[in-house]
Amino acid sequence: MSKNVFYEQVGVAMTCRSYEEYEKMFDLKMEQFKAGKVLDVAAGASSFAASAYRKGYDAYAVDPLYNLSPREMRKHGEEEIQEASRKLKKGARTLLWDSYKTLEEHDKIRRDSFSLFMKQYTQNEKDQRFFHGALPHLPFSDQTFSLLLCNHFLFLYEAQFDFEFHIKAVREMIRVTKKGGEIRIYPLVGFNHEIYPYLNSLIETLENEHVKIKLLPTTFRFMPKATEMLVIYKK
């Protein structure tokens, strides 16, 4: 691993983030999407979809891990939280702690979020809120969702997934987004703390495909240069 990488990661880590973190990362005003379907892409064990559903939103999540049984998911999640805490402790000095204050608070949010996620995940046969699938192929029809969110996957893993994958992944999210809907992606940096080097090329490639693309600020602060999100509006 390069000495410039703050978080040593092989493969894709499971995320366990909270509804409140999503609000900050994506500058969410969820009432805007009350009438439409919302999808969390590459959601891992985050509790956003479960919390949003309980708040009355028609929220869903999709992830490659959703073929795991509840028992397998619980074991995997508990191991991932412990491993993530160990890695963050090692790289703590390279991060901004504005949104968490301490590693202990960060870990508590992870555990609480995972607990909320598991309560909903164990009911999935009945509620059908979690779908097994992976970018760049999502198991949904065209123009299904009013809002798609994708955090800590695209761009973050730029060393593992090439530019072609990123283009295909974003086009797939555009496909399942309704006209007038939005896609929000955060962060725009990799594990090396640098902005995705092909971001401008990606925007230029997609701009003529019936979308409008903007970089907008967020209030979430953890990785030093992760101060913006990519927002794609489908025309």
Side-chain angles (χ1 to χ4, degrees), residues 20 53 81 87 93 132 159 181 213 222 228:
E20 291 74 21
Y53 176 55
I81 290 172
K87 292 177 181 178
R93 292 182 180 179
H132 176 245
I213 303 175
F222 196 42
E228 294 181 309

Side-chain angles (χ1 to χ4, degrees), residues 173-228:
M173 289 193 288
I174 292 170
R175 180 186 68 79
V176 302
T177 303
K178 288 184 175 181
K179 290 181 179 179
E182 298 179 18
I183 301 164
R184 300 186 186 187
I185 304 171
Y186 176 91
L188 309 183
V189 305
F191 286 117
N192 60 0
H193 281 318
E194 296 298 326
I195 300 294
Y196 179 58
Y198 308 110
L199 183 61
N200 289 337
S201 297
L202 182 138
I203 292 171
E204 290 171 5
T205 300
L206 296 172
E207 272 185 333
N208 296 321
E209 301 185 13
H210 305 291
V211 296
K212 180 172 69 174
I213 303 175
K214 288 185 178 181
L215 298 179
L216 296 178
T218 80
T219 61
F220 190 75
R221 293 293 181 269
F222 196 42
M223 292 182 282
K225 294 185 180 180
T227 60
E228 294 181 309

Side-chain angles (χ1 to χ4, degrees), residues 50-84:
S51 295
Y53 176 55
R54 293 181 182 188
K55 292 176 184 289
Y57 298 99
D58 197 8
Y60 302 83
V62 61
D63 195 274
L65 292 174
Y66 294 164
N67 61 345
L68 296 180
S69 68
R71 182 177 179 180
E72 291 169 330
M73 181 68 80
R74 187 176 299 280
K75 180 178 184 296
H76 183 59
E78 289 171 351
E79 291 172 350
E80 283 277 301
I81 290 172
Q82 291 179 4
E83 182 69 4

Side-chain angles (χ1 to χ4, degrees), residues 90-135:
K90 185 177 179 180
R93 292 182 180 179
T94 69
L95 299 165
L96 302 176
W97 291 90
D98 303 43
S99 295
Y100 297 115
K101 307 306 179 188
T102 66
L103 179 60
E104 289 73 23
E105 179 182 325
H106 173 279
D107 290 352
K108 183 179 186 303
I109 291 171
R110 293 287 162 271
R111 292 191 298 271
D112 291 347
S113 298
F114 183 58
S115 178
L116 283 172
F117 165 82
M118 284 304 305
K119 287 179 182 178
Q120 191 73 44
Y121 190 75
T122 56
Q123 301 181 61
N124 196 48
E125 278 193 22
K126 180 182 71 173
D127 296 331
Q128 295 184 335
R129 294 282 148 183
F130 301 98
F131 289 84
H132 176 245
L135 289 170

Side-chain angles (χ1 to χ4, degrees), residues 41-42 62-66 131-140 153 161 165 168-169 172:
V41 180
V62 61
D63 195 274
L65 292 174
Y66 294 164
F131 289 84
H132 176 245
L135 289 170
H137 305 291
L138 298 177
F140 306 108
F153 176 56
F161 298 95
F165 173 87
K168 288 181 178 178
E172 178 70 350

